[in-house]
Amino acid sequence: MTAKVRFFPIGNADTCVIDADGRKYVFDFAAPTPQGGDDLRIDLAKTLRAELKREKRDRVDVVSFSHLDTDHFAGASEFFHLEHARKYQGKGRIRIREMWVPAAAILESKWDQSKEGRIIQAEARHRLKEGKGIRVISKPEVLDDWLRKQGIDPKTRRENIVGAGNLMPGYRLQKTGIEFFVHAPFSDQRDESEVDRNGESTVFHVTIKDGSDDVRLLLTGDTPYDVLARIVKTTERAGNDDRLEWDIIKVPHHSSYTSLGPKKGKKITEPVPSVRRLYEEYGDDDGVIVSPSKIIPSTDEIQPPHKQAAAYYETSAKKVGADFVVTMEYPTKKDPKPLGLKISGMGHGVAIERSAPSRPAAVIAQPPRAG
Amino acid sequence: MSEREYPVAGASVEPRKLTIPRARSVARFAQSGTNPNVNLLSCYGSRDDGTEAVTVDISATVPQRPAYDIRRTERILIVFDRDDSQCPWVESLRKDFPRTPHTNLTAPGKPRSLCLYDQPWEDVRTTLTAPKLISRIMWWLEGTAAGTLHGDDQLLEPLLFDPQLDLIIPSDLLTGSDTDEPIPLTCFRMGISLQLIRTSVVTDMGADIPQGGSCLALMVNCEPQLHGVVQATPRTLEDLHDLLLPAGVDLMEVLRERLEDSEEESGLEDVSLILLVRLPKLRVAEGEVERVELRAFAVATPISAILDEAGRCAADADAGESQPSGNEIGLVPLNPRPGFSRELAAEVNGESCADSSPVIAVGVGALGSQVVSNLARGGFGQWTLVDNDLLLPHNLGRHALGGQYVGVPKAAGLAHMLSVNTDAPPIACWVPIDVLREAAQSDQPKVDWKPGRVILDMSASVAVARHLCHDVESSARRVSLFLNPSGTALTLLSEDVARSVPLDLLEMQHYRALVSDPDLRDLLAPSSTMRSGVGCRDVSTQIPQDLVGLFSGIGSRAVRRALGTDEAQVSTWKVDESNYSVVHTPVEVTDVSSRKKNGWRMFWDAQLECKLRRYRKEKLPNETGGVLIGAFDMDRRIIYVVDATEAPADSEECRSGFLRGLESLQEEIDAVQLATSGMLGYIGEWHSHPTGNVTPSSRDRNVIRWVEETLNDEGQVGVVGIAGSKQKLNFIPCGTALFQ
């Protein structure tokens, strides 16, 4: 089985598309509207729509939102067919077989939600009420109150709820060629009085079959360092070290230093020890570290990406022979393109897809007007 | 220079200081950033061997655990030959680059060299651009890393280079002659018979075929005899001497007289003697000679011994002794048959007369050898056979030649076979060269193209056909004959006598028919191949000899008929494998026009003009347009404009302009490329003007610029066509082929 993992040059925003065994999985969906000029982000919605049309698909198997920040769902309400209102249905919209969200996406209510955030939440809530096409990452009891308020017996929704430390149901490596282990959010993390979306982002460890071997992908959210550290320690304690090993790792929060340690540092962010272990001990040889972010700045900035964090990722990449790839810098800063990570199915591991140019052939581009 | 890398010879120069065009274009391309996976490091000039070189870093799709130790980014040296006569030599500079399949053989301690192409360089060269070369290196690295470059059916690469010597056993037949002089011949033992050929023919073969035993044939002409004179078969020279005395021949005397001269010329210790005895036969005494009976005897003793004996006989006779001791010299009686003449060939084939038109046949592989053989056996052609391939065992499945020619150049073997099949003079000569390299190799024999009436291309190579069409000086008609990849169809392209539609344009009209005619659409579908050796190019298609035989039969007859008319012809014959019926699909040949501009020659034909006129008229008063289909010959700077599409459904057509849409276009172009095996493809845009003014407007210049920019990335030029009223048509080549 061949498989492909893709990241896209969409600025400080997350989207990871996995194609494996004929299925398509979308982890976060942030489709920018490129402004032209210096804005080199790609039109993700257009790219994916064309791809699905080519593949004669009108649906994807999974759309997972790590948390409800705009840079993880922008444009989703225009791209996908949503079950909860007619308004979000119609020709050209892509159906979602199963939607995955953290519990916070159902429960959060009073904060800085954008309009689109509320639409995504409405869809998740609708699906949970219907009990179809949804998995919520949480401890079962956390959602009980909310369900009762909707007049639903919580017991009837148990199968829609998956706790940390489990595999997403329906996917087993031997059967589907891919499986998803849930690291976060932790079930005890939810504190209704205080909301920390980043802290409650989902973190998945994905295993993809590659012949007699496997390729492992760690998909973080905007996970802060303390949560990441806790994931490492908890998993080690449970003896599940293999669920920390990676060939591909998506670094959290667009290379923000806050996902490595408490202090930004001057030249390099020093990670807390367990986070350091994640990067330096659990990374297999010659893997890939992906930062879905803008170009790494040469100056000290307040917003990510932070050059100090990137400096650490570069250093750790060298230690394990990995490539550190920034989505807006691949293959060149001048002309970024989607990053394809190819898994041949022959046990060779992951390869960064390199192809010769680039510009669409004349027959799939439109010439200027003739007169 | 790192210790882990091989140093590069020569002086580092700026890319623009490179003098070899291909080197400069690769350097400029690598520098341009068009392909982000290649990075120019240095350029080298002033190298001892006159070459120039470019070093680049190339990143390919290389996995974590590759089948061979290929890195994600490799440092590559590309060396360019001054006259572009061979593929750029591509090496890894890394000292620990692994030993992999598909590397050229290099000495230990030298950089590993990537073997990039399994086609001959001449075929690659015409379409190779810098972007394509870089892509090919990326493809090599990716395939080698994945372990998929080496086909499963290919033998393992050799550990040592070990050329093998082939052993050849030729064949022949007996010839007859009226001369009294001894005839130098070469004698071969074939099975239980001896076969003779003229030594002159053998000499023509060159050193490739080991010489047989030398012998002299001696014609002994007897006086007319009443038939039935030789009743017993003589077993010794003495027997024969006695037998011939009544026919007025003193054999011993004849031998002494004629052979003594020869003996002085060369040592005859090892030379055998063949006696050919002509016995004119009379039905009745004093009547007309009705028939000449030919008897042959091989004398199993060297000529020097025969002379001794003959001399002794004479001395004995002088001394009055009546018992010559010639019975010590044995004879092998032979049953001679007349040779096969051109006239006899025509006769047995039912042709009214033999035809000795000079024909130059290029390519005598499976199809070529059988077509030539068919024609020659029918008494047709005075042949020059051009081919530099050797006959190898796997060829025997489908070649006109038999196993005794293995190891001999195919052209030589065939010329030999045809010439020994036929009575002297030889009907075929051979030139063992690769026509594409003829000019480059001054020490090689040359083909004399001028006297040919026909140049018959059966090389199965587009590059060769184009070369014969353009680069060979001769007024001869060019005719191409080739099978499709699966061997289920034969195509004939035959120029008219005046060559007004040359071979390459017939080729283009053939490709267009492949796209438009549903019956021909799958003609070029790929076929299964097999490995005949360990080299990358040792690939043979798997086509049954039955089909080659079928189509060489059709082909030889079609060639003869085509040459009987003055018109051009494009024809395809296709077999239905369920019942072996063959359907003939002729393609109407239309006149061609051409234009030269910006250093490019453009060709198109009447059918395309007609099509553009129709599309334009249908949409009046609005403008319309579409894309142009065609091909390039980068070597000769030719653009073939072959076909055009209608406006895609989502185009915008109005009175003042045209915006070409996209709908179904990719599919259409894909279908063209599939049907023509990539020979035709997108080459540019066309649109109509409502008036007769076909000069580009300012808007049109934007289109021209757009085509330039878009195709430049692929190292190509493009064409913009404008169709106006009164059948006006303007094709404008655009682009600079920056990376050619």
Side-chain angles (χ1 to χ4, degrees), chain B residues 151-181:
Chain B
D152 286 341
D153 57 340
Q154 196 175 350
L155 300 177
L156 291 175
E157 302 257 332
L159 290 173
L160 287 168
F161 213 29
D162 187 18
Q164 294 192 355
L165 193 68
D166 300 292
L167 182 70
I168 300 120
I169 308 162
S171 70
D172 206 337
L173 90 172
L174 181 70
T175 55
S177 169
D178 282 327
T179 175
D180 276 345
E181 292 304 310

Coordinates of all heavy atoms in Angstrom, one line a residue, chain B residues 151-181:
Chain B
G151 N 14.3 -3.4 -13.8 CA 13.2 -4.2 -14.1 C 13.3 -5.6 -13.5 O 14.5 -6.1 -13.5
D152 N 12.2 -6.2 -13.1 CA 12.3 -7.6 -12.5 C 12.8 -8.6 -13.5 O 13.4 -9.6 -13.1 CB 10.9 -8.0 -12.0 CG 10.5 -7.2 -10.7 OD1 11.4 -6.7 -10.1 OD2 9.3 -7.2 -10.4
D153 N 12.6 -8.3 -14.8 CA 12.9 -9.3 -15.8 C 14.3 -9.1 -16.3 O 14.8 -9.9 -17.1 CB 11.9 -9.2 -17.0 CG 11.9 -7.8 -17.6 OD1 12.4 -6.9 -16.9 OD2 11.5 -7.7 -18.7
Q154 N 15.0 -8.1 -15.8 CA 16.3 -7.9 -16.3 C 17.4 -8.8 -15.5 O 17.3 -9.0 -14.3 CB 16.7 -6.4 -16.1 CG 17.9 -6.0 -16.9 CD 18.1 -4.5 -16.8 OE1 17.3 -3.8 -16.2 NE2 19.2 -4.0 -17.3
L155 N 18.3 -9.3 -16.3 CA 19.4 -10.0 -15.7 C 20.2 -9.2 -14.8 O 20.2 -7.9 -14.9 CB 20.3 -10.7 -16.7 CG 19.6 -11.6 -17.7 CD1 20.6 -12.1 -18.7 CD2 19.0 -12.8 -17.0
L156 N 20.9 -9.8 -13.8 CA 21.8 -9.0 -13.0 C 22.9 -8.4 -13.8 O 23.3 -8.9 -14.8 CB 22.3 -9.9 -11.9 CG 21.3 -10.3 -10.8 CD1 21.9 -11.3 -9.9 CD2 20.7 -9.1 -10.1
E157 N 23.3 -7.2 -13.4 CA 24.4 -6.6 -14.2 C 25.7 -7.4 -14.1 O 25.9 -8.1 -13.1 CB 24.6 -5.2 -13.6 CG 23.4 -4.4 -13.6 CD 23.3 -3.3 -14.7 OE1 24.4 -2.9 -15.1 OE2 22.3 -3.0 -15.1
P158 N 26.5 -7.3 -15.1 CA 27.7 -8.1 -15.1 C 28.7 -7.6 -14.0 O 28.8 -6.4 -13.7 CB 28.3 -8.0 -16.5 CG 27.7 -6.7 -17.0 CD 26.4 -6.5 -16.3
L159 N 29.5 -8.6 -13.5 CA 30.5 -8.2 -12.5 C 31.7 -7.7 -13.2 O 32.4 -6.8 -12.8 CB 30.8 -9.4 -11.6 CG 29.7 -9.8 -10.6 CD1 30.1 -11.1 -9.9 CD2 29.5 -8.7 -9.7
L160 N 32.0 -8.3 -14.3 CA 33.2 -7.9 -15.1 C 32.8 -7.8 -16.6 O 31.8 -8.4 -17.0 CB 34.3 -9.0 -15.1 CG 35.0 -9.1 -13.7 CD1 35.8 -10.4 -13.7 CD2 35.9 -7.9 -13.5
F161 N 33.4 -6.9 -17.2 CA 33.2 -6.7 -18.6 C 33.8 -7.8 -19.4 O 35.0 -8.0 -19.3 CB 33.8 -5.3 -19.0 CG 33.0 -4.7 -20.1 CD1 31.6 -4.9 -20.2 CD2 33.6 -3.8 -20.9 CE1 30.9 -4.2 -21.1 CE2 32.9 -3.1 -21.9 CZ 31.5 -3.3 -22.0
D162 N 33.0 -8.7 -20.1 CA 33.6 -9.8 -20.7 C 33.0 -10.0 -22.1 O 32.1 -10.8 -22.3 CB 33.3 -11.1 -19.8 CG 34.0 -12.3 -20.3 OD1 35.0 -12.1 -21.1 OD2 33.6 -13.4 -20.0
P163 N 33.6 -9.3 -23.1 CA 33.0 -9.4 -24.4 C 33.3 -10.8 -24.9 O 34.4 -11.4 -24.6 CB 33.8 -8.4 -25.2 CG 35.0 -8.1 -24.5 CD 34.7 -8.4 -23.1
Q164 N 32.4 -11.4 -25.6 CA 32.6 -12.8 -26.1 C 32.7 -12.9 -27.6 O 32.1 -12.1 -28.3 CB 31.4 -13.6 -25.6 CG 31.3 -13.7 -24.1 CD 30.4 -14.8 -23.6 OE1 29.7 -15.4 -24.4 NE2 30.3 -15.0 -22.3
L165 N 33.5 -13.8 -28.0 CA 33.8 -14.0 -29.4 C 32.8 -15.0 -29.9 O 32.5 -16.0 -29.3 CB 35.2 -14.5 -29.6 CG 35.8 -14.5 -31.0 CD1 36.0 -13.1 -31.4 CD2 37.0 -15.3 -31.1
D166 N 32.1 -14.7 -31.1 CA 31.2 -15.6 -31.7 C 31.9 -16.4 -32.7 O 32.8 -15.9 -33.4 CB 30.0 -14.8 -32.3 CG 29.3 -14.0 -31.2 OD1 28.6 -14.6 -30.4 OD2 29.4 -12.7 -31.3
L167 N 31.5 -17.7 -32.9 CA 32.0 -18.6 -33.9 C 31.0 -18.7 -35.0 O 29.9 -18.9 -34.8 CB 32.3 -19.9 -33.2 CG 32.9 -21.0 -34.2 CD1 34.3 -20.6 -34.5 CD2 32.9 -22.3 -33.6
I168 N 31.5 -18.5 -36.2 CA 30.6 -18.4 -37.4 C 30.9 -19.5 -38.4 O 32.0 -19.8 -38.7 CB 30.7 -17.0 -38.0 CG1 30.3 -16.0 -37.0 CG2 29.8 -17.0 -39.3 CD1 31.4 -15.0 -36.8
I169 N 29.8 -20.1 -38.8 CA 30.0 -21.1 -39.9 C 29.0 -20.8 -41.1 O 27.8 -20.9 -41.0 CB 29.6 -22.5 -39.4 CG1 30.3 -22.8 -38.1 CG2 29.8 -23.6 -40.4 CD1 29.7 -24.0 -37.3
P170 N 29.6 -20.2 -42.1 CA 28.7 -19.7 -43.2 C 28.3 -20.8 -44.2 O 28.8 -22.0 -44.0 CB 29.6 -18.7 -43.9 CG 30.9 -18.6 -43.2 CD 31.0 -19.8 -42.3
S171 N 27.5 -20.5 -45.1 CA 27.0 -21.5 -46.0 C 27.2 -21.0 -47.5 O 27.5 -19.9 -47.7 CB 25.5 -21.7 -45.8 OG 24.8 -20.6 -46.2
D172 N 27.0 -21.9 -48.4 CA 27.1 -21.5 -49.8 C 26.5 -22.5 -50.8 O 26.0 -23.5 -50.4 CB 28.6 -21.2 -50.1 CG 28.7 -20.2 -51.3 OD1 27.7 -20.1 -52.0 OD2 29.7 -19.6 -51.4
L173 N 26.7 -22.2 -52.0 CA 26.3 -23.2 -53.1 C 27.3 -23.1 -54.2 O 28.2 -22.3 -54.3 CB 24.9 -22.9 -53.5 CG 24.7 -21.9 -54.7 CD1 23.2 -22.0 -55.1 CD2 25.0 -20.5 -54.3
L174 N 27.1 -24.0 -55.1 CA 28.1 -24.1 -56.2 C 27.8 -23.1 -57.3 O 26.6 -22.8 -57.6 CB 27.9 -25.6 -56.8 CG 28.8 -25.9 -57.9 CD1 30.3 -26.0 -57.5 CD2 28.3 -27.2 -58.5
T175 N 28.8 -22.6 -57.9 CA 28.6 -21.7 -59.1 C 29.2 -22.3 -60.3 O 30.2 -23.1 -60.2 CB 29.2 -20.3 -58.8 OG1 30.6 -20.5 -58.5 CG2 28.5 -19.6 -57.7
G176 N 28.8 -21.9 -61.4 CA 29.3 -22.5 -62.7 C 29.9 -21.3 -63.5 O 29.6 -20.2 -63.3
S177 N 30.8 -21.7 -64.4 CA 31.5 -20.6 -65.2 C 32.0 -21.3 -66.5 O 32.2 -22.5 -66.6 CB 32.6 -20.0 -64.4 OG 33.4 -19.2 -65.3
D178 N 32.2 -20.4 -67.5 CA 32.6 -20.9 -68.8 C 34.1 -20.7 -69.0 O 34.7 -21.1 -69.9 CB 31.9 -20.1 -69.9 CG 30.5 -20.7 -70.1 OD1 30.4 -21.9 -69.9 OD2 29.6 -19.9 -70.5
T179 N 34.7 -19.9 -68.0 CA 36.1 -19.6 -68.2 C 37.1 -20.8 -68.2 O 36.7 -21.8 -67.5 CB 36.6 -18.5 -67.2 OG1 38.0 -18.3 -67.4 CG2 36.3 -19.0 -65.8
D180 N 38.2 -20.7 -68.8 CA 39.2 -21.7 -68.8 C 40.1 -21.5 -67.6 O 40.9 -22.4 -67.3 CB 40.0 -21.7 -70.1 CG 39.2 -22.5 -71.1 OD1 38.3 -23.3 -70.8 OD2 39.6 -22.4 -72.3
E181 N 40.1 -20.3 -67.1 CA 41.1 -20.0 -66.0 C 40.6 -20.6 -64.7 O 39.4 -20.7 -64.4 CB 41.2 -18.5 -65.8 CG 41.9 -17.8 -67.0 CD 43.2 -18.3 -67.3 OE1 44.0 -18.5 -66.3 OE2 43.5 -18.6 -68.5

